[in-house]
Amino acid sequence: GLLGVSIPAKYGGSGMDYLALGLASEELEYVDTSLRVILSVHVGLNCLTLLAWGTDDQKARYLMPQARGEKIATYGLTEPSAGSDLASLSTRAVADGDEWVVNGQKVWNSGAHYSDLGILLTRTDPDAPKHRGITYFLVDMRTPGVEVRPLRQITGEAEFNEVFLTDVRIPDSRRLGAV
């Protein structure tokens, strides 16, 4: 139940505060450092963002399986030529009816090789000022066109990954917040 420590009970979590999340993360690090990474990315970046910006339908659909650990999420922000500078984001999402077609590359995605869901930040308006025109999507990591390549560290482990997105189709219902 630690993956749902700070998710409200109505979405399958324990409903505790952020201090509890920090304590759970610290304790998990004693067991396995990769568990701390899962908790901080999965809950800290994904679930809490869903709670703040998701629709009621998105919260109901995605939070309960994540609180139970049945679905794990990764974060797709950093890009090879931009780092984590959102102003330089180049992964593009283009509207096509009720879907978006995404092309680009992300790097340093924690746990992408075992994640079910990806938080994906994309540029949807290339003419907007650099810190605008960015849209947030929830992508199924098994969608055709999503390719995950683990990055081996000096330890031989691969906590981080490159993610290549080639003509990935994402339903508009997986958009978090406004375009």
Side-chain angles (χ1 to χ4, degrees), residues 23 31-32 39 44 57 67 76 83 101 116 128 142 145 148 150 154 162 165:
L23 291 171
V31 178
D32 181 342
L39 191 63
D57 181 58
V101 180
D116 306 289
R142 287 158 189 76
V148 178
I154 197 166
E162 289 180 286
L165 304 141

Side-chain angles (χ1 to χ4, degrees), residues 59-105:
K59 290 175 189 177
R61 181 174 179 188
Y62 299 114
L63 286 173
M64 192 163 294
Q66 289 182 75
R68 293 189 302 239
E70 296 167 358
K71 300 280 183 184
I72 301 295
T74 188
Y75 192 66
L77 160 67
T78 307
E79 294 186 356
S81 61
S84 57
D85 175 19
L86 277 176
S88 300
L89 190 69
S90 64
T91 295
R92 290 286 313 274
V94 177
D96 184 20
D98 290 338
E99 295 181 314
W100 294 82
V101 180
V102 178
N103 285 284
Q105 180 185 355

Side-chain angles (χ1 to χ4, degrees), residues 116-120 137-141 143 146 168 170 174:
D116 306 289
L117 184 67
I119 299 164
L120 183 62
F137 294 94
L138 302 168
V139 62
D140 180 332
M141 293 300 288
T143 301
V146 175
V168 176
I170 301 174
R174 287 180 168 253

Side-chain angles (χ1 to χ4, degrees), residues 29-49:
E29 189 167 4
Y30 291 115
V31 178
D32 181 342
T33 56
S34 64
L35 294 175
R36 184 187 57 76
V37 170
I38 291 170
L39 191 63
S40 63
V41 171
H42 175 79
V43 177
L45 296 175
N46 176 46
C47 293
L48 298 181
T49 303

Side-chain angles (χ1 to χ4, degrees), residues 123 125-134:
R123 185 158 301 283
D125 184 353
D127 299 322
K130 290 286 189 180
H131 285 96
R132 298 191 183 271
I134 297 170

